[in-house]
Amino acid sequence: MNQHFINGRYVAGQTGETIAKLAPATGEEFTRIACGNAADIDAAVKAAHAAFDGAWGKLTAAERGRLISKLGLKLQDYFEELAKLEARDTGKPMAQARADIDATARYFEFYGGAADKVHGHVIPFLNGYSVSVVHEPHGVTGHILPWNYPAQMFGRSLTASLAMGNAVVLKPAEDACATAFRLAELASEVGFPDGAINVVAGRGHEAGAALCSHPGIAFMSFTGSPEVGKMVQHACADHLIPCTLELGGKSPQIVFDDADFDAAVPIVCKAIVQNTGQTCSAGSRVLVQKSVYDEFVGAVAKQFSKLRAGTPEMDLDCGPVINAKQRGRVQSFIDQAREQGIPVLAEGQIAQGVPNGGFYVAPTLFGQVPRGNRLEQEEVFGPVLSAFSFEDEEDAIKLANSTDYGLVAAVWTRDGGRQQRVSRRVRAGQVFINGYGAGGGIELPFGGTGKSGHGREKGFIALEEFAVTKTIVHKHG
Ligand code: NAD
């Protein structure tokens, strides 16, 4: 495992240095990964350029699409193996890991089918001219991914770029990169030309920084924290290349007094505990109209207190969080809120029998969180839900828009006019009405505003991000 995948094969890193990889469920080391540096990144970028100028670049859009679709089908043959690999690497419950592999396959199906449907257009111009607008690949695109959904992020970030004909270099997260390597290997097996997909393991400030500042990279796709996103954007500015930034969130669930409580309560709970709260679009704030606050939040608390965290094999509501640092961070939010006297309305359980060294945190619901508190403003990235109350529609919108983030929101009301008014005024890249979809929906454009980043992934719109638009003006002879 302590190797990179460059030019269609596993290769040793330039330094031989490795990083310990611990299983979040036990806290024990189970493998070591290569610690890539600038020289490894350079080798991967060179391999990608050779593929772009060679076998990969020569394929037609239909041929590229067929390969991507084939990889999606191949995933079905290795479904359980990939799900187990993902669960061991991240600690997530098996049901979540299986859902993730299923979603990963959907990315291959969607973008495999889309590859030959990126049509240009013709513009009427002066007499004696023909003007066509075509979409071309950037060349070699760089991708830096987080640890929360490693396989899905591979599907989301890389597949749209490959569909457009780019060759790719990926730096997955040092905390979870097993499925990225396995997927790259399977891509080779289904016939992707050498160098079309390259994966370099390593630390962010070494391999990651080398990737986004490499002069051979024409576009960067970054998914991760706002802090690192800023550094990536600075590096891109230095050599004037575009980037997409998919960053964090503090997504609100806005519940009005006429909402269908039976429908809303389980979804409000799921939206925060899915993937143990380690989801950029987790519904981490629930905003409830004052007149129904006690009733609604009481029903959420009842469900919340039944939640349990356990090992992937126990397959409960939550797993452990990714590492000791993340557990300490989540716990510090909980401890500080308790010290401030913010009421704990419900606490889930850590299941009996989990290994002592695992990184478990009990799901926690805080009520009547004061406005401006850390729990309102900062992404916890753990199973912590914060409840707030609002007076009326105007106040609900003010509260929803009170953070610097703007990723996803939900509006729960039966009033059709209010559904439209609120969803248009809430600052978010995606708004759900009477539902919530953290993570899913490959067909749906996704991305943020403000501190949640910029650019869009998923859907057809992602193909445009990974393309350069060229206008060809032809004066007839
Ligand atoms: P992170 O920003 O710490 O790391 C993300 C990646 O960046 C890792 O691969 C890391 O090695 C790399 N990196 C670190 N320093 C770097 C540097 N100086 N230069 C280049 N690369 C560097 O984020 P994380 O802790 O892995 O993931 C959690 C964050 O990701 C949360 O904020 C979460 O909301 C966000 N996220 C966003 C989305 C989205 O679609 N909006 C999806 C998943 C996760």
Side-chain angles (χ1 to χ4, degrees):
M1 176 72 183
N2 57 350
Q3 293 184 317
H4 308 299
F5 192 84
I6 298 176
N7 206 23
R9 60 197 66 88
Y10 280 106
V11 295
Q14 307 271 346
T15 63
E17 198 194 327
T18 57
I19 306 169
K21 169 64 191 124
L22 312 185
T26 63
E28 285 167 9
E29 178 177 330
F30 71 91
T31 190
R32 299 191 73 85
I33 64 161
C35 186
N37 64 8
D40 297 306
I41 289 289
D42 188 52
V45 175
K46 284 191 174 126
H49 271 284
F52 183 73
D53 295 335
W56 175 245
K58 290 191 173 60
L59 295 183
T60 64
E63 287 166 338
R64 286 198 306 270
R66 193 176 294 145
L67 275 178
I68 296 167
S69 301
K70 229 170 144 181
L71 181 52
L73 286 174
K74 185 95 169 167
L75 253 60
Q76 304 305 333
D77 299 340
Y78 295 90
F79 193 89
E80 205 54 22
E81 177 205 316
L82 287 163
K84 282 186 181 148
L85 207 55
E86 193 77 327
R88 185 174 64 166
D89 229 15
T90 59
K92 59 182 77 190
M94 276 306 294
Q96 180 67 50
R98 290 192 185 101
D100 286 7
I101 302 304
D102 197 48
T104 307
R106 279 285 300 131
Y107 280 107
F108 295 125
E109 287 163 13
F110 183 85
Y111 288 111
D116 61 353
K117 292 166 193 72
V118 182
H119 302 159
H121 55 276
V122 171
I123 296 180
F125 191 50
L126 304 173
N127 287 339
Y129 284 82
S130 297
V131 179
S132 52
V133 178
V134 297
H135 304 293
E136 297 181 339
H138 289 280
V140 176
T141 56
H143 304 253
I144 297 181
L145 299 183
W147 41 258
N148 56 345
Y149 291 94
Q152 273 207 61
M153 293 294 142
F154 182 109
R156 183 173 109 184
S157 181
L158 270 63
T159 314
S161 181
L162 291 164
M164 275 313 306
N166 300 289
V168 302
V169 178
L170 163 65
K171 207 298 280 174
E174 50 274 51
D175 277 301
C177 57
T179 47
F181 280 103
R182 191 72 181 107
L183 290 168
E185 201 182 333
L186 291 175
S188 264
E189 283 179 29
V190 301
F192 274 72
D194 292 347
I197 301 176
N198 306 278
V199 185
V200 177
R203 296 196 178 94
H205 66 275
E206 291 167 341
L211 180 58
C212 45
S213 59
H214 195 291
I217 294 293
F219 183 93
M220 273 305 303
S221 164
F222 174 79
T223 308
S225 62
E227 295 69 31
V228 178
K230 274 188 215 168
M231 290 191 237
V232 170
Q233 186 156 0
H234 277 295
C236 291
D238 281 343
H239 57 134
L240 289 173
I241 61 160
C243 62
T244 51
L245 300 180
E246 296 284 358
L247 312 176
K250 198 74 208 180
S251 300
Q253 303 263 353
I254 311 166
V255 183
F256 286 93
D257 57 4
D258 63 341
D260 177 346
F261 286 11
D262 291 343
V265 168
I267 294 181
V268 164
C269 290
K270 179 162 190 284
I272 181 65
V273 294
Q274 173 181 323
N275 210 41
T276 318
Q278 302 167 117
T279 303
C280 54
S281 49
S284 52
R285 291 185 294 153
V286 56
L287 323 182
V288 187
Q289 194 152 17
K290 209 170 183 177
S291 52
V292 294
Y293 177 88
D294 287 340
E295 186 189 347
F296 186 84
V297 175
V300 172
K302 211 168 154 191
Q303 288 215 359
F304 227 80
S305 58
K306 293 183 195 145
L307 295 171
R308 285 185 307 151
T311 64
E313 296 72 27
M314 289 175 178
D315 216 0
L316 303 174
D317 308 288
C318 294
V321 296
I322 191 75
N323 55 30
K325 186 171 163 218
Q326 186 65 11
R327 183 183 52 188
R329 181 181 145 77
V330 176
Q331 200 57 54
S332 80
F333 273 93
I334 296 174
D335 295 345
Q336 193 184 35
R338 280 182 191 273
E339 280 160 24
Q340 290 171 340
I342 301 174
V344 174
L345 302 185
E347 217 179 347
Q349 305 288 317
I350 296 172
Q352 288 202 339
V354 297
N356 282 337
F359 309 126
Y360 299 91
V361 184
T364 309
L365 168 65
F366 285 100
Q368 289 299 10
V369 176
R371 295 190 188 197
N373 187 271
R374 225 182 142 199
L375 282 179
E376 182 199 32
Q377 295 294 325
E378 296 178 33
E379 186 183 44
V380 178
F381 225 53
V384 179
L385 178 61
S386 305
F388 302 79
S389 65
F390 65 82
E391 297 286 343
D392 52 20
E393 198 173 305
E394 205 52 37
D395 194 31
I397 292 163
K398 192 171 154 203
L399 188 54
N401 290 343
S402 64
T403 78
D404 294 334
Y405 291 104
L407 198 54
V408 180
V411 186
W412 294 90
T413 175
R414 288 186 168 97
D415 179 332
R418 183 188 269 160
Q419 291 167 356
Q420 288 303 317
R421 286 192 302 273
V422 177
S423 53
R424 295 302 286 265
R425 290 183 61 198
V426 165
R427 208 173 47 239
Q430 262 187 1
V431 181
F432 288 83
I433 299 170
N434 295 333
Y436 202 73
I442 280 70
E443 310 81 351
L444 313 178
F446 177 86
T449 62
K451 207 175 165 184
S452 294
H454 53 73
R456 292 293 177 264
E457 290 190 332
K458 301 188 176 183
F460 261 81
I461 203 167
L463 295 162
E464 289 173 25
E465 300 277 6
F466 289 108
V468 177
T469 298
K470 182 184 277 175
T471 308
I472 301 173
V473 183
H474 178 190
K475 186 172 187 309
H476 304 167

